[in-house]
């Protein structure tokens, strides 16, 4: 069964290599959710994430010739989505979300134990970090990049990467405590 | 419990949760993606075509500036002739030419198709004035090369009487006038600069806008010409949404747009007078956005508890408060392109200021074909364009 799926994916990728629109559509629909979940981690808004996903698939379809079939496709796609997210912010589509004070607080949740946090809760917490801190944290802790690779990706020094990571962790610790207190004082 | 939340726990929790996180496919995403790709390719085509158009316009403009006009040659010839004949009598030659031009233009215009009043019209008139009295000039001819003959004969300057018989007098008919235009068609394209103040209106609000730029009018057939150019537009678009309640304010969307407009209009000159000309113009505009700032303000009503102490007892009352939430969004330049996104309609009046200079008044109306810019705005622009063409 797994083999059949792999064959399916190979066929789809072969179709994409020949620029067959039906194959591109299949690949897009198959990996859209995965790409969006990666983009959501690296962007602050869902609309940005959707833009990043579309930009990523443009790159996927134009660069599919460079994909090595011996490697998992998801890994290759993840790299593209991460790079596209970083490029997207570097291009700086300046978006400021100005919301009133009440909305700036962490949204109300039903009382939860910290271990019951959903992925969206965590993404929301991560969004409270400064952009650079968040990116360094995600690249290092979630995607396993080294500080050297992060420094290259984000065009910062390695020491800055380390500092950002430390600060991100500290801020997250505080955010988690605020979150925990808010929900348990209710 | 709080103390147990350590960095490593948090990191492990985040990693674990995000590893299992997977979004679902959103219906219609593929269709949006395909549409975006098409828009992107259109944007590239527009950029290339506008680049080519701009280069062509600059090229034509440079050619026009560097090419000496035929008029000068003819005028020079006449100057030489008269100088040979009677050097003393032409001290005020230029004045005479100007006066005669003024006297002769009305006669010439009868039956004229009057497409473009170019300086060529005056060339032939001034060319004859130097050799013949104005009253006997226009009698009978049908040869397109008359003006040249006049010049060449007079140039010889041997015998004034002989020259008089050899010279074929000129007569301006409608056909001749076309030839005059053809003779003057060394410069077919007329360039201009314009400024247009106006009003942008949505269903619920209106605001001031202005635009300006360069234009090029290219004659295509008889009284028709193709008008194009490059306009810079600055627009403020305001629209009010539905009210959340009778007591609450309405939601409001504001958009500040700066864009380039590449119009392509067909102009029909339906009436041409001595110095005035009226025309109708219609066509489409393609828009590329240099700046898009959006600000959406929405209101929601919330109950707020207010506690107060009355006679030592705490009383809690609830007030309804309107809470405004504002979202600002700036889109980077050239992210959006609307190919043939707007229809243009205008009526124009052209007033001749000098042989080479024309002033235009063009009341216009611009209607979107579909939603414009990133947020699919629908607004109508109207106003008056003031244009100087040369």
């Amino acid at each position: 069964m797994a083999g059949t799926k792999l064959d399916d994916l190979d066929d789809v990728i072969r179709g994409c290599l020949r620029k067959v629109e039906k194959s591109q559509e299949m690949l897009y629909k198959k990996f859209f959710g995965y790409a969006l979940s990666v983009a959501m981690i690296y962007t602050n808004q869902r609309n940005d994430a959707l833009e990043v996903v579309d930009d990523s698939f443009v790159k996927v379809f134009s660069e599919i010739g460079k994909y090595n079939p011996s490697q998992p496709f998801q890994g290759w796609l993840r790299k593209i989505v991460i790079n596209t997210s970083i490029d997207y912010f570097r291009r700086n589509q300046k978006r400021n979300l100005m919301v009133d004070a009440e909305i700036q607080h962490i949204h109300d949740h039903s009382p939860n134990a910290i271990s019951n946090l959903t992925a969206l809760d965590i993404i929301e917490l991560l969004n409270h970090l400064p952009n650079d801190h968040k990116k360094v944290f995600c690249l290092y802790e979630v995607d396993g990049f080294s500080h050297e690779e992060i420094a290259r990706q984000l065009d910062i020094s390695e020491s800055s990467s380390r500092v950002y990571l430390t600060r991100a962790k500290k801020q997250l610790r505080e955010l988690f405590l605020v979150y925990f207190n808010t929900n348990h004082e209710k | 419990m709080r103390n147990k939340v350590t960095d490593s726990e948090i990191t492990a929790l985040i990693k674990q949760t995000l590893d299992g996180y997977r979004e679902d496919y959103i219906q219609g995403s593929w269709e949006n993606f395909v549409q975006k790709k098409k828009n992107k390719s259109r944007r590239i085509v527009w950029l290339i075509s506008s680049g080519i158009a701009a280069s062509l316009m600059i090229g034509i403009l440079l050619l026009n500036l560097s090419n000496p006009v035929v008029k000068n040659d003819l005028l020079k010839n006449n100057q030489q002739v008269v100088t040979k004949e009677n050097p003393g009598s032409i001290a005020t030659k230029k004045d005479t030419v100007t006066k005669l031009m003024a006297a002769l233009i009305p006669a010439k215009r009868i039956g004229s198709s009057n497409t473009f009043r170019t300086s060529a019209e005056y060339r032939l008139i001034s060319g004859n004035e130097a050799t013949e009295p104005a009253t006997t000039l226009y009698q009978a001819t049908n040869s397109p090369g008359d003006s040249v003959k006049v010049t060449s004969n007079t140039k010889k300057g041997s015998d004034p009487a002989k020259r008089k018989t050899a010279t074929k007098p000129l007569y301006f008919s409608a056909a001749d006038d076309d030839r005059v235009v053809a003779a003057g068609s060394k410069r077919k394209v007329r360039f201009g600069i314009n400024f247009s103040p106006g009003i942008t209106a949505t269903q619920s609000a209106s605001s001031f806008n202005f635009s300006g730029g360069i234009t090029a009018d290219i004659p295509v057939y008889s009284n028709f010409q193709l008008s194009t150019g490059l306009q810079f537009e600055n627009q403020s678009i305001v629209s009010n949404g539905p009210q959340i309640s009778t007591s609450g304010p309405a939601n409001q969307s504001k958009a500040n747009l700066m864009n380039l407009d590449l119009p392509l209009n067909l102009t029909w000159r339906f009436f041409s007078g001595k110095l005035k000309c009226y025309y109708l113009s219609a066509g489409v505009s393609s828009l590329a956005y240099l700046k898009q700032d959006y600000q959406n303000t929405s209101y929601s009503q919330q109950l707020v508890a207010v506690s107060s102490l009355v006679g030592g007892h705490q009383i809690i009352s609830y007030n309804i408060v309107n809470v405004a939430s504002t979202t600002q969004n700036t889109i980077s330049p050239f992210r959006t392109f609307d190919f043939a996104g707007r229809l243009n309609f205008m009526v124009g009046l052209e007033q001749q200021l000098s042989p080479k200079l024309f002033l235009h008044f063009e009341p216009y109306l611009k209607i979107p074909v579909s939603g414009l810019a990133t947020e699919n705005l629908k607004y109508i622009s109207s106003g008056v364009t003031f244009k100087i063409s040369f």
Side-chain angles (χ1 to χ4, degrees), chain B residues 71-307:
Chain B
K71 164 179 85 169
N72 297 335
D73 300 338
L74 287 168
L75 206 63
K76 273 178 199 166
N77 289 339
N78 282 325
Q79 277 176 345
Q80 287 166 5
V81 171
V82 181
T83 310
K84 282 176 189 172
E85 257 184 315
N86 187 357
S89 70
I90 57 151
T92 57
K93 183 190 71 62
K94 276 188 181 172
D95 293 342
T96 320
V97 170
T98 315
K99 281 175 194 167
L100 268 168
M101 270 176 2
L104 292 171
I105 289 164
K108 186 195 78 66
R109 291 212 181 281
I110 298 166
S112 161
S113 63
N114 207 346
T115 48
F116 269 89
R117 285 188 298 273
T118 66
S119 52
E121 291 169 2
Y122 304 110
R123 291 172 209 158
L124 294 182
I125 298 163
S126 60
N128 286 290
E129 179 273 330
T131 54
E132 300 283 340
T135 46
T136 58
L137 255 175
Y138 308 108
Q139 288 167 6
T141 188
N142 48 17
S143 165
D146 286 344
S147 63
V148 181
K149 279 187 180 176
V150 169
T151 310
S152 58
N153 284 334
T154 50
K155 244 183 154 180
K156 285 171 190 169
S158 52
D159 179 9
K162 199 177 173 183
R163 193 176 64 234
K164 205 165 185 176
T165 52
T167 304
K168 287 186 182 175
L170 286 174
Y171 172 75
F172 281 89
S173 66
D176 287 330
D177 193 26
D178 285 342
R179 282 200 299 275
V180 169
V181 173
S185 64
K186 283 259 174 184
R187 186 180 168 188
K188 277 186 175 176
V189 181
R190 193 192 286 171
F191 294 95
I193 49 170
N194 66 9
F195 176 73
S196 315
I199 299 287
T200 300
T202 59
Q203 281 187 332
S204 51
S206 60
S207 54
F208 175 76
N209 73 53
F210 66 87
S211 65
I214 51 168
T215 61
D217 297 326
I218 306 153
V220 284
Y221 175 75
S222 183
N223 290 340
F224 290 92
Q225 68 187 70
L226 210 55
S227 303
T228 184
L230 194 62
Q231 303 290 311
F232 171 80
E233 286 186 337
N234 189 342
Q235 303 181 91
S236 220
I237 298 139
V238 182
S239 63
N240 296 322
Q243 277 183 295
I244 47 167
S245 73
T246 48
S247 58
N251 294 342
Q252 196 181 58
S253 300
K254 275 185 189 171
N256 286 315
L257 305 178
M258 281 187 193
N259 62 278
L260 291 177
D261 178 350
L262 186 71
L264 192 63
N265 298 326
L266 187 66
T267 302
W268 171 45
R269 290 166 172 262
F270 61 89
F271 175 78
S272 298
K274 274 186 214 169
L275 297 169
K276 279 183 185 168
C277 171
Y278 296 91
Y279 53 92
L280 287 171
S281 191
V284 291
S285 274
S286 299
L287 309 169
Y289 297 88
L290 302 174
K291 184 187 163 197
Q292 299 180 67
D293 282 336
Y294 297 100
Q295 188 177 309
N296 297 310
T297 307
S298 57
Y299 294 89
S300 59
Q301 291 190 322
Q302 288 181 5
L303 274 177
V304 177
V306 181
S307 67

Side-chain angles (χ1 to χ4, degrees), chain A residues 64-123:
Chain A
I64 193 113
K66 291 180 187 169
Y67 166 63
N68 179 2
S70 63
Q71 302 288 321
F73 181 76
Q74 278 197 353
W76 187 67
L77 176 63
R78 191 178 184 95
K79 261 187 189 174
I80 288 180
V81 176
I82 291 170
N83 288 340
T84 309
S85 306
I86 291 167
D87 287 347
Y88 187 79
F89 275 95
R90 201 171 284 151
R91 279 206 311 266
N92 199 12
Q93 187 180 13
K94 196 178 97 193
R95 278 167 189 245
N96 301 319
L97 191 65
M98 297 195 312
V99 286
D100 44 55
E102 280 136 320
I103 298 169
Q104 270 183 4
H105 284 303
I106 296 164
H107 282 182
D108 285 351
H109 294 83
S110 55
N112 259 338
I114 264 183
S115 56
N116 289 340
L117 282 172
T118 64
L120 289 176
D121 291 331
I122 286 179
I123 287 170

